[in-house]
């Protein structure tokens, strides 16, 4: 039987290993080429260790949502640096996951925003607690029912005017339900890691790392999870420890939204923020799955 041909690591796997090596001063000495089942994604070794050392095991995972990335690719194409003619203010628009962005939905959104400006209204929402004008006791006010149906049909959760500065006229700034916000304590990071470790993918990584004398897990956060990306951008230091199996000593969390920094949780010292070298920040982001 012919020997199974090896597979190269993905760009995200190579970048994750390079980031960890940059912080620890280690180097990659072996990778999972998928020629055998259950191989660890990367083995790292210190400067004084031989190439056959198998001391530091690194598993690399991603919470990337291909469909969500494709949606954001469409959002960026439609609205990045685009100025909508006739729109006087700047608006933030919250899209539902999976919303259609271009074509007729974009035209309907543009007309809707301009109509709100003509009526001197600064927002609208499908969330009843956010919009007491269009909702009463959890029910839509009849005069706004058609408008709310239109918002729902094009995947818009809410819109809000955020500026009347002429320099920002006609701009649309998008967000999604998956974005979230970031606080100075970044208290969401520990639960974020704990939740991932309970998923089937997380459990698989935990199982594979049981064979490593020193186990590290690297998690790529989806770029739309801005609660992670913004916390990194502001260098907020998380609080609290995630629920991590005893054999794993280090957790790394990164976001392509903020390529200049990475979180590291260590069982002995807790959370830290590490800077990523400028060279690694320039690595192109992998194309979104279509």
């Amino acid at each position: 039987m012919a020997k199974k041909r090896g597979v190269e690591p993905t760009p995200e796997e190579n970048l994750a290993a390079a980031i960890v090596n940059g912080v620890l001063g280690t180097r990659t000495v072996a990778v999972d080429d998928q020629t055998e089942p259950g191989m660890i994604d990367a083995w790292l070794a210190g400067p004084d260790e031989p190439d056959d050392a198998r001391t530091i095991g690194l598993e690399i995972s991603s919470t990337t949502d291909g469909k969500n990335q494709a949606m954001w690719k469409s959002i960026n194409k439609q609205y990045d640096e685009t100025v909508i003619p006739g729109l006087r203010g700047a608006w933030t628009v919250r899209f539902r996951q999976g919303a259609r962005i271009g074509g007729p939905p974009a035209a309907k959104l543009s007309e809707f925003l301009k109509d709100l400006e003509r009526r001197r209204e600064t927002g609208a929402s499908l969330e009843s607690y956010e919009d007491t004008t269009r909702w009463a006791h959890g029910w839509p006010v009849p005069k706004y029912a058609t408008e709310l149906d239109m918002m729902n049909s094009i995947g818009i959760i809410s819109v809000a005017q955020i500026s009347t500065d002429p320099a920002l006229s006609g701009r649309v700034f998008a967000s999604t339900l998956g974005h979230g916000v970031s606080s100075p304590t970044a208290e969401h990071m520990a639960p974020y890691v704990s939740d991932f470790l309970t998923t089937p993918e997380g459990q698989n990584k935990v199982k594979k790392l049981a064979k490593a004398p020193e186990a590290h897990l690297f998690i790529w956060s989806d770029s739309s999870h801005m609660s992670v990306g913004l916390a990194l951008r502001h260098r907020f230091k998380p609080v609290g420890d995630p629920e991590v199996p005893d054999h794993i000593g280090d957790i790394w969390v990164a976001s392509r939204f903020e390529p200049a920094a990475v979180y590291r949780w260590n069982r002995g010292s807790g959370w830290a923020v590490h800077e990523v070298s400028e060279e690694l920040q320039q690595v192109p982001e992998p194309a979104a799955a279509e």
Side-chain angles (χ1 to χ4, degrees), residues 158-287:
S158 66
V159 299
Q161 190 179 67
I162 56 174
S163 177
T164 56
D165 183 343
L168 295 175
S169 293
R171 295 295 307 279
V172 167
F173 300 92
S175 66
T176 72
L177 285 176
H179 267 211
V181 295
S182 177
S183 72
T185 57
E187 69 273 5
H188 55 282
M189 288 305 308
Y192 182 86
V193 171
S194 298
D195 288 347
F196 172 74
L197 292 176
T198 65
T199 66
E201 183 177 1
Q203 288 291 298
N204 180 55
K205 298 297 184 182
V206 168
K207 181 179 179 181
K208 289 173 66 178
L209 283 170
K211 67 183 72 172
E214 183 178 330
H216 292 241
L217 173 62
F218 194 106
I219 302 171
W220 280 112
S221 168
D222 191 292
S223 58
S224 72
H225 296 163
M226 289 181 67
S227 59
V228 176
L230 285 173
L232 277 168
R233 177 158 295 182
H234 292 290
R235 306 302 192 266
F236 293 153
K237 185 176 179 180
V239 296
D241 293 323
E243 297 179 11
V244 179
D246 291 342
H247 65 280
I248 298 177
D250 292 80
I251 301 286
W252 304 75
V253 183
S255 169
R256 296 307 291 262
F257 180 81
E258 176 46 71
V262 62
Y263 280 132
R264 178 190 180 188
W265 175 85
N266 175 269
R267 186 173 297 280
S269 56
W271 289 99
V273 184
H274 295 280
E275 299 298 317
V276 175
S277 71
E278 189 170 344
E279 178 184 2
L280 294 179
Q281 295 174 37
Q282 307 307 315
V283 176
E285 185 165 359

Side-chain angles (χ1 to χ4, degrees), residues 79-102:
Y79 294 112
D80 190 26
E81 303 300 329
T82 297
V83 176
I84 298 175
L87 190 65
R88 295 190 298 273
W91 292 75
T92 179
V93 177
R94 189 154 51 116
F95 291 94
R96 179 183 292 113
Q97 298 285 1
R100 290 184 57 199
I101 305 302

